[in-house]
Amino acid sequence: MDTDKKRPTNIMRDYMRYLKLERSFSPNTLDAYKRDIIKLSDYLTHAGKTPFDVKLEDLQTFAAGLHDLGIGASSQCRILSGVRSFFRFLLLNGYRDDDPTELLESPQLGLHLPEVLSTAEVDMLENSIDLSKWEGHRNRAIIETLFSCGLRVSELINLRLSNLYIKEQYIRVFGKGSKERLVPISPRAIQELDNWFLCRNDMNIKPGEEDYVFLNRRGAHLTRTMILIMIKRQAAEAGIKKTISPHTLRHSFATALLEGGADLRVIQEMLGHENIDTTEIYTHIDTTMLRQEILEHHPRNIKNGNK
């Protein structure tokens, strides 16, 4: 193979291009995969290895080193997933004749049940917002849209006016890998959007930003960090003690659907999960909440002082 083609910088460039064009990964995902390979590259440099002669044993040592650095099990799994993707790319493109990650194991993860909010707690969150300020109407619309539609925060910040089908009560969402799905939007969320649009219509919007639904005070679309800060601040204002994020509202949406009797496949479709296994975590949340309800409200438990 051409020596220039095998240079690390050229391989990284080709790999990033492959992830962007053939796998349709988002910029955030591309950054994460690039960081993973930089970690691997740094390790290989110190070990005197290259991606072309590294063996399973070397990668097992690399994985053990992640643990020694204090990196959590879930982050280790993500990094090793990026490493596997990289070596599959090398194999598919003729850089290697084998894949040394085939037998590379990831750490076992315990079942982590995400925090969820009840509908009453979401109402508390929204009711704590100061509507005398223009951004109050925007923030209520953001929270209600996240809760009513189960969007990822990346999907929300990229939501466009041209993706709203208000009369039909649907929105068009572009999820991971630019996969498109249609999600119903509730009358409550539509009302909050209408209230926000009254404020939005009076804004000076930056050229090129006109189609974004949610804007900051400078007339540009919001970032993930802005929404995270807003929701955490609002939770404190509302007196909600749970540790929440924008993703909590997505989890709350799915849990509310399950409690209401929705089929798991429907929830999978609404969330844009590629694999039903990802959606099944909500059955565990539902079971956990049911157990808590029994412990708190069953007369035998109340009588024994367990309430």
Side-chain angles (χ1 to χ4, degrees):
M1 179 175 289
D2 188 340
T3 303
D4 286 341
K5 189 177 180 182
K6 294 181 69 172
R7 287 180 179 173
T9 53
N10 292 339
I11 294 173
M12 178 67 81
R13 180 201 61 204
D14 292 345
Y15 178 54
M16 289 295 108
R17 183 182 298 153
Y18 159 77
L19 293 179
K20 181 179 181 179
L21 300 180
E22 296 193 34
R23 300 292 301 278
S24 301
F25 283 173
S26 69
N28 288 332
T29 304
L30 289 172
D31 287 343
Y33 272 69
K34 187 173 183 178
R35 289 194 299 269
D36 296 340
I37 301 310
I38 288 174
K39 286 185 177 70
L40 175 66
S41 179
D42 290 343
Y43 163 76
L44 293 178
T45 298
H46 285 99
K49 296 281 186 176
T50 73
F52 312 112
D53 59 17
V54 67
K55 299 182 184 302
L56 172 62
E57 295 77 14
D58 301 313
L59 296 176
Q60 288 171 332
T61 303
F62 168 72
L66 297 176
H67 178 269
D68 293 341
L69 288 172
I71 296 174
S74 60
S75 294
Q76 290 178 49
C77 288
R78 186 190 56 75
I79 292 169
L80 295 179
S81 175
V83 170
R84 290 188 186 91
S85 171
F86 177 63
F87 280 100
R88 281 197 296 270
F89 164 78
L90 295 182
L91 178 62
L92 288 171
N93 287 272
Y95 289 103
R96 288 187 62 120
D97 296 324
D98 65 332
D99 180 357
T101 67
E102 281 184 339
L103 299 178
L104 182 64
E105 295 183 354
S106 293
Q108 293 296 312
L109 294 176
L111 181 63
H112 172 67
L113 299 181
E115 197 80 81
V116 296
L117 297 177
S118 66
T119 302
E121 287 173 320
V122 175
D123 289 341
M124 287 172 56
L125 198 62
E126 293 181 356
N127 292 336
S128 69
I129 295 173
D130 182 0
L131 294 181
S132 67
K133 300 176 181 178
W134 70 267
E135 61 263 34
H137 292 286
R138 180 200 64 189
N139 293 347
R140 275 188 70 142
I142 286 172
I143 291 171
E144 187 58 38
T145 303
L146 286 170
F147 179 61
S148 292
C149 301
L151 304 186
R152 301 177 177 94
V153 67
S154 58
E155 295 168 347
L156 181 101
I157 62 176
N158 288 304
L159 189 62
R160 312 281 185 128
L161 295 175
S162 53
N163 297 148
L164 304 181
Y165 300 90
I166 298 300
K167 288 183 179 180
E168 295 81 6
Q169 296 190 335
Y170 275 90
I171 62 175
R172 185 169 59 173
V173 179
F174 294 91
K176 290 185 176 180
S178 298
K179 290 184 179 177
E180 179 183 336
R181 67 185 191 277
L182 292 175
V183 179
I185 184 168
S186 69
R188 170 76 174 268
I190 291 172
Q191 182 59 59
E192 297 297 350
L193 283 172
D194 286 342
N195 293 339
W196 155 235
F197 290 151
L198 292 175
C199 299
R200 186 184 183 283
N201 290 340
D202 294 330
M203 295 181 67
N204 291 319
I205 301 175
K206 283 189 174 183
E209 304 283 297
E210 296 89 351
D211 199 29
Y212 286 99
V213 172
F214 296 109
L215 304 170
N216 62 26
R217 63 178 62 252
R218 294 182 300 278
H221 68 280
L222 299 173
T223 66
R224 300 159 64 98
T225 303
M226 289 176 184
I227 294 179
L228 173 64
I229 291 171
M230 180 273 287
I231 286 179
K232 285 187 174 294
R233 183 180 64 239
Q234 213 57 57
E237 290 280 338
I240 295 172
K241 303 301 182 184
K242 296 175 180 177
T243 302
I244 70 169
S245 70
H247 219 63
T248 306
L249 293 162
R250 177 170 160 87
H251 294 315
S252 304
F253 162 83
T255 304
L257 284 182
L258 189 66
E259 288 177 343
D263 184 86
L264 203 59
R265 292 286 180 184
V266 172
I267 299 174
Q268 177 190 7
E269 184 72 21
M270 292 299 95
L271 292 174
H273 285 161
E274 187 170 345
N275 195 315
I276 190 69
D277 292 343
T278 309
T279 318
E280 284 180 343
I281 190 173
Y282 296 106
T283 63
H284 296 287
I285 296 175
D286 194 44
T287 303
T288 300
M289 294 177 69
L290 176 61
R291 178 180 181 277
Q292 189 62 32
E293 288 292 310
I294 291 172
L295 288 175
E296 289 185 3
H297 301 294
H298 192 282
R300 293 296 190 196
N301 291 312
I302 295 172
K303 185 176 180 180
N304 291 331
N306 292 333
K307 185 174 180 180

